[in-house]
Short mmCIF file of all heavy atoms in Angstrom, two decimals:
data_model
loop_
_atom_site.label_atom_id
_atom_site.label_comp_id
_atom_site.label_asym_id
_atom_site.label_seq_id
_atom_site.Cartn_x
_atom_site.Cartn_y
_atom_site.Cartn_z
N ALA E 1155 110.70 51.98 120.45
CA ALA E 1155 109.65 52.93 120.47
C ALA E 1155 108.47 52.35 119.75
O ALA E 1155 108.65 51.22 119.06
CB ALA E 1155 110.08 54.25 119.79
N ASP E 1156 107.26 52.92 119.80
CA ASP E 1156 106.10 52.34 119.08
C ASP E 1156 106.28 52.20 117.64
O ASP E 1156 105.81 51.28 116.95
CB ASP E 1156 104.89 53.26 119.35
CG ASP E 1156 104.60 53.45 120.79
OD1 ASP E 1156 104.86 52.53 121.63
OD2 ASP E 1156 104.08 54.54 121.18
N GLU E 1157 106.99 53.27 117.03
CA GLU E 1157 107.16 53.22 115.60
C GLU E 1157 108.68 53.45 115.23
O GLU E 1157 109.49 54.01 115.96
CB GLU E 1157 106.43 54.47 115.05
CG GLU E 1157 106.26 54.45 113.50
CD GLU E 1157 105.78 55.80 112.98
OE1 GLU E 1157 105.57 56.67 113.80
OE2 GLU E 1157 105.79 56.02 111.82
N ARG E 1158 109.11 52.84 114.14
CA ARG E 1158 110.53 52.94 113.75
C ARG E 1158 110.60 53.57 112.36
O ARG E 1158 109.91 53.08 111.48
CB ARG E 1158 111.06 51.54 113.73
CG ARG E 1158 112.53 51.42 113.88
CD ARG E 1158 112.96 49.91 114.04
NE ARG E 1158 114.43 49.84 114.11
CZ ARG E 1158 115.20 50.09 115.18
NH1 ARG E 1158 114.54 50.24 116.37
NH2 ARG E 1158 116.45 49.95 115.12
N VAL E 1159 111.40 54.59 112.17
CA VAL E 1159 111.60 55.07 110.85
C VAL E 1159 113.10 55.10 110.53
O VAL E 1159 113.89 55.73 111.23
CB VAL E 1159 111.11 56.65 110.86
CG1 VAL E 1159 111.46 57.30 109.46
CG2 VAL E 1159 109.76 56.73 111.16
N ASP E 1160 113.39 54.44 109.50
CA ASP E 1160 114.92 54.28 109.12
C ASP E 1160 115.24 55.42 107.96
O ASP E 1160 114.55 55.24 106.87
CB ASP E 1160 115.20 52.90 108.59
CG ASP E 1160 116.62 52.71 108.29
OD1 ASP E 1160 117.44 53.68 108.33
OD2 ASP E 1160 117.06 51.54 107.96
N VAL E 1161 115.98 56.30 108.29
CA VAL E 1161 116.29 57.37 107.19
C VAL E 1161 117.44 56.99 106.38
O VAL E 1161 117.87 57.91 105.57
CB VAL E 1161 116.40 58.80 107.85
CG1 VAL E 1161 115.15 59.12 108.49
CG2 VAL E 1161 117.55 58.92 108.84
N GLU E 1162 118.03 55.80 106.45
CA GLU E 1162 118.98 55.26 105.55
C GLU E 1162 120.21 56.12 105.29
O GLU E 1162 120.51 56.52 104.10
CB GLU E 1162 118.28 54.96 104.22
CG GLU E 1162 117.10 53.90 104.48
CD GLU E 1162 116.17 53.65 103.21
OE1 GLU E 1162 116.21 54.53 102.37
OE2 GLU E 1162 115.64 52.57 103.18
N GLY E 1163 120.72 56.61 106.34
CA GLY E 1163 122.07 57.36 106.21
C GLY E 1163 121.86 58.87 105.91
O GLY E 1163 122.96 59.49 105.62
N ARG E 1164 120.71 59.33 105.97
CA ARG E 1164 120.56 60.85 105.64
C ARG E 1164 120.85 61.64 106.91
O ARG E 1164 120.96 61.15 107.97
CB ARG E 1164 119.05 61.11 105.17
CG ARG E 1164 118.76 60.38 103.79
CD ARG E 1164 117.40 60.70 103.40
NE ARG E 1164 117.10 60.17 102.04
CZ ARG E 1164 116.73 58.99 101.75
NH1 ARG E 1164 116.50 58.16 102.73
NH2 ARG E 1164 116.64 58.54 100.52
N ALA E 1165 121.02 62.95 106.57
CA ALA E 1165 121.34 64.00 107.64
C ALA E 1165 120.04 64.38 108.33
O ALA E 1165 119.05 64.53 107.64
CB ALA E 1165 122.00 65.13 107.02
N VAL E 1166 120.18 64.51 109.59
CA VAL E 1166 119.00 65.02 110.47
C VAL E 1166 119.54 66.30 111.18
O VAL E 1166 120.62 66.20 111.73
CB VAL E 1166 118.48 63.91 111.30
CG1 VAL E 1166 117.38 64.52 112.33
CG2 VAL E 1166 117.75 62.85 110.58
N LEU E 1167 118.64 67.22 111.28
CA LEU E 1167 119.10 68.47 112.10
C LEU E 1167 117.85 69.00 112.64
O LEU E 1167 116.69 68.70 112.23
CB LEU E 1167 119.78 69.47 111.16
CG LEU E 1167 119.05 70.14 110.07
CD1 LEU E 1167 119.68 71.40 109.58
CD2 LEU E 1167 118.98 69.14 108.76
N PRO E 1168 117.96 70.03 113.61
CA PRO E 1168 116.78 70.69 114.13
C PRO E 1168 116.03 71.36 113.09
O PRO E 1168 116.60 71.80 111.98
CB PRO E 1168 117.26 71.71 115.14
CG PRO E 1168 118.63 71.21 115.48
CD PRO E 1168 119.21 70.46 114.24
N GLY E 1169 114.72 71.54 113.13
CA GLY E 1169 113.89 72.32 112.10
C GLY E 1169 114.48 73.76 112.11
O GLY E 1169 115.00 74.22 113.14
N TRP E 1170 114.33 74.40 111.06
CA TRP E 1170 114.69 75.78 111.00
C TRP E 1170 113.83 76.65 111.96
O TRP E 1170 112.65 76.36 112.11
CB TRP E 1170 114.51 76.38 109.58
CG TRP E 1170 115.10 75.68 108.45
CD1 TRP E 1170 114.57 75.20 107.26
CD2 TRP E 1170 116.55 75.33 108.20
NE1 TRP E 1170 115.49 74.61 106.55
CE2 TRP E 1170 116.67 74.70 107.01
CE3 TRP E 1170 117.64 75.64 109.01
CZ2 TRP E 1170 117.87 74.22 106.56
CZ3 TRP E 1170 118.92 75.15 108.53
CH2 TRP E 1170 119.00 74.45 107.34
N VAL E 1171 114.56 77.53 112.54
CA VAL E 1171 113.75 78.52 113.43
C VAL E 1171 113.88 79.98 112.73
O VAL E 1171 114.82 80.58 112.69
CB VAL E 1171 114.43 78.66 114.84
CG1 VAL E 1171 113.64 79.72 115.68
CG2 VAL E 1171 114.43 77.31 115.47
N ASP E 1172 112.68 80.27 112.12
CA ASP E 1172 112.61 81.51 111.30
C ASP E 1172 112.18 82.62 112.27
O ASP E 1172 111.01 82.78 112.54
CB ASP E 1172 111.70 81.36 110.18
CG ASP E 1172 111.84 82.51 109.12
OD1 ASP E 1172 112.64 83.47 109.48
OD2 ASP E 1172 111.30 82.42 108.03
N SER E 1173 113.15 83.42 112.73
CA SER E 1173 112.89 84.33 113.79
C SER E 1173 112.51 85.76 113.27
O SER E 1173 112.40 86.70 114.10
CB SER E 1173 114.19 84.47 114.67
OG SER E 1173 115.26 85.00 113.93
N HIS E 1174 112.29 85.95 112.01
CA HIS E 1174 111.89 87.21 111.46
C HIS E 1174 111.05 87.12 110.18
O HIS E 1174 111.59 86.74 109.13
CB HIS E 1174 113.16 88.08 111.24
CG HIS E 1174 112.93 89.55 110.72
ND1 HIS E 1174 113.56 90.57 111.21
CD2 HIS E 1174 111.97 89.97 109.84
CE1 HIS E 1174 113.18 91.68 110.63
NE2 HIS E 1174 112.17 91.36 109.74
N THR E 1175 109.71 87.23 110.34
CA THR E 1175 108.77 87.29 109.17
C THR E 1175 107.77 88.32 109.43
O THR E 1175 107.49 88.76 110.51
CB THR E 1175 108.18 85.90 108.96
OG1 THR E 1175 107.03 85.72 109.91
CG2 THR E 1175 109.03 84.76 109.02
N HIS E 1176 107.10 88.68 108.30
CA HIS E 1176 106.00 89.64 108.36
C HIS E 1176 104.91 88.99 107.63
O HIS E 1176 104.67 89.33 106.39
CB HIS E 1176 106.29 90.97 107.70
CG HIS E 1176 107.57 91.66 108.16
ND1 HIS E 1176 107.47 92.98 108.89
CD2 HIS E 1176 108.87 91.43 107.98
CE1 HIS E 1176 108.66 93.27 109.11
NE2 HIS E 1176 109.56 92.52 108.63
N LEU E 1177 104.05 88.09 108.17
CA LEU E 1177 103.25 87.18 107.43
C LEU E 1177 101.70 87.63 107.65
O LEU E 1177 100.78 86.90 107.05
CB LEU E 1177 103.34 85.83 107.79
CG LEU E 1177 104.78 85.25 107.32
CD1 LEU E 1177 104.98 83.80 107.72
CD2 LEU E 1177 104.88 85.35 105.75
N VAL E 1178 101.43 88.66 108.36
CA VAL E 1178 99.95 89.04 108.46
C VAL E 1178 99.83 90.18 107.40
O VAL E 1178 100.01 91.42 107.74
CB VAL E 1178 99.59 89.47 109.87
CG1 VAL E 1178 98.03 89.74 109.89
CG2 VAL E 1178 99.98 88.48 110.85
N PHE E 1179 99.47 89.79 106.17
CA PHE E 1179 99.33 90.77 105.10
C PHE E 1179 98.39 90.26 104.04
O PHE E 1179 98.15 89.11 103.90
CB PHE E 1179 100.80 91.09 104.48
CG PHE E 1179 101.27 89.91 103.65
CD1 PHE E 1179 100.91 89.81 102.21
CD2 PHE E 1179 102.12 88.88 104.18
CE1 PHE E 1179 101.43 88.79 101.47
CE2 PHE E 1179 102.53 87.87 103.37
CZ PHE E 1179 102.25 87.79 101.98
N ALA E 1180 98.01 91.18 103.27
CA ALA E 1180 97.20 90.87 101.97
C ALA E 1180 97.92 91.58 100.84
O ALA E 1180 98.63 92.55 101.11
CB ALA E 1180 95.72 91.29 102.15
N GLY E 1181 97.60 91.10 99.65
CA GLY E 1181 98.14 91.74 98.43
C GLY E 1181 99.55 91.28 98.09
O GLY E 1181 100.20 90.43 98.82
N ASP E 1182 100.02 91.82 96.99
CA ASP E 1182 101.48 91.47 96.62
C ASP E 1182 102.08 92.73 96.03
O ASP E 1182 101.41 93.71 95.67
CB ASP E 1182 101.49 90.31 95.72
CG ASP E 1182 101.31 90.66 94.22
OD1 ASP E 1182 102.30 91.07 93.62
OD2 ASP E 1182 100.17 90.51 93.84
N ARG E 1183 103.41 92.70 95.89
CA ARG E 1183 104.15 93.86 95.42
C ARG E 1183 105.08 93.54 94.28
O ARG E 1183 106.22 93.83 94.10
CB ARG E 1183 104.96 94.45 96.57
CG ARG E 1183 104.12 94.71 97.84
CD ARG E 1183 104.15 96.06 98.49
NE ARG E 1183 105.43 96.57 98.73
CZ ARG E 1183 105.94 96.57 100.06
NH1 ARG E 1183 105.26 95.94 101.00
NH2 ARG E 1183 107.13 96.98 100.22
N THR E 1184 104.48 92.67 93.31
CA THR E 1184 105.26 92.29 92.16
C THR E 1184 105.84 93.46 91.32
O THR E 1184 106.94 93.43 90.92
CB THR E 1184 104.36 91.42 91.33
OG1 THR E 1184 103.65 90.39 92.03
CG2 THR E 1184 105.10 90.76 90.19
N ALA E 1185 104.94 94.49 91.14
CA ALA E 1185 105.30 95.61 90.32
C ALA E 1185 106.46 96.31 90.88
O ALA E 1185 107.48 96.73 90.24
CB ALA E 1185 104.06 96.46 90.10
N GLU E 1186 106.33 96.49 92.26
CA GLU E 1186 107.55 97.14 92.89
C GLU E 1186 108.84 96.39 92.80
O GLU E 1186 109.83 96.92 92.65
CB GLU E 1186 107.07 97.37 94.44
CG GLU E 1186 108.21 98.01 95.24
CD GLU E 1186 107.85 98.01 96.76
OE1 GLU E 1186 106.68 98.20 97.14
OE2 GLU E 1186 108.76 97.69 97.56
N PHE E 1187 108.65 95.06 93.02
CA PHE E 1187 109.92 94.17 92.79
C PHE E 1187 110.42 94.28 91.40
O PHE E 1187 111.78 94.50 91.23
CB PHE E 1187 109.55 92.77 93.12
CG PHE E 1187 110.60 91.70 92.95
CD1 PHE E 1187 111.67 91.67 93.80
CD2 PHE E 1187 110.66 90.97 91.74
CE1 PHE E 1187 112.72 90.74 93.59
CE2 PHE E 1187 111.79 90.13 91.49
CZ PHE E 1187 112.75 90.03 92.48
N ALA E 1188 109.48 94.26 90.38
CA ALA E 1188 110.05 94.26 89.03
C ALA E 1188 110.77 95.66 88.80
O ALA E 1188 111.83 95.83 88.14
CB ALA E 1188 108.89 94.13 88.06
N ALA E 1189 110.23 96.65 89.33
CA ALA E 1189 110.78 98.10 89.20
C ALA E 1189 112.14 98.11 89.82
O ALA E 1189 113.15 98.64 89.26
CB ALA E 1189 109.91 99.20 89.77
N ARG E 1190 112.34 97.39 90.99
CA ARG E 1190 113.56 97.37 91.50
C ARG E 1190 114.68 96.62 90.72
O ARG E 1190 115.74 97.00 90.61
CB ARG E 1190 113.42 96.68 92.91
CG ARG E 1190 113.52 97.49 94.11
CD ARG E 1190 113.74 96.96 95.44
NE ARG E 1190 113.40 95.60 95.74
CZ ARG E 1190 112.27 95.20 96.30
NH1 ARG E 1190 111.25 96.07 96.47
NH2 ARG E 1190 112.03 93.90 96.57
N MET E 1191 114.21 95.55 90.12
CA MET E 1191 115.14 94.82 89.34
C MET E 1191 115.48 95.58 88.05
O MET E 1191 116.42 95.29 87.34
CB MET E 1191 114.45 93.42 88.96
CG MET E 1191 114.23 92.53 90.08
SD MET E 1191 115.78 92.18 91.17
CE MET E 1191 115.31 93.17 92.62
N SER E 1192 114.67 96.63 87.79
CA SER E 1192 115.14 97.57 86.64
C SER E 1192 115.83 98.77 87.21
O SER E 1192 116.08 99.73 86.48
CB SER E 1192 113.81 98.01 85.95
OG SER E 1192 113.00 96.93 85.59
N GLY E 1193 116.26 98.73 88.43
CA GLY E 1193 117.04 99.81 88.99
C GLY E 1193 116.51 100.80 89.95
O GLY E 1193 117.17 101.61 90.51
#
Side-chain angles (χ1 to χ4, degrees):
D1156 301 330
E1157 191 195 356
R1158 204 174 175 82
V1159 176
D1160 183 353
V1161 299
E1162 299 173 334
R1164 294 184 173 86
V1166 171
L1167 65 157
W1170 305 125
V1171 179
D1172 195 348
S1173 62
H1174 184 135
T1175 76
H1176 303 249
L1177 293 175
V1178 187
F1179 72 89
D1182 82 83
R1183 311 233 302 262
T1184 311
E1186 178 188 321
F1187 175 78
R1190 256 198 329 270
M1191 296 306 109
S1192 311

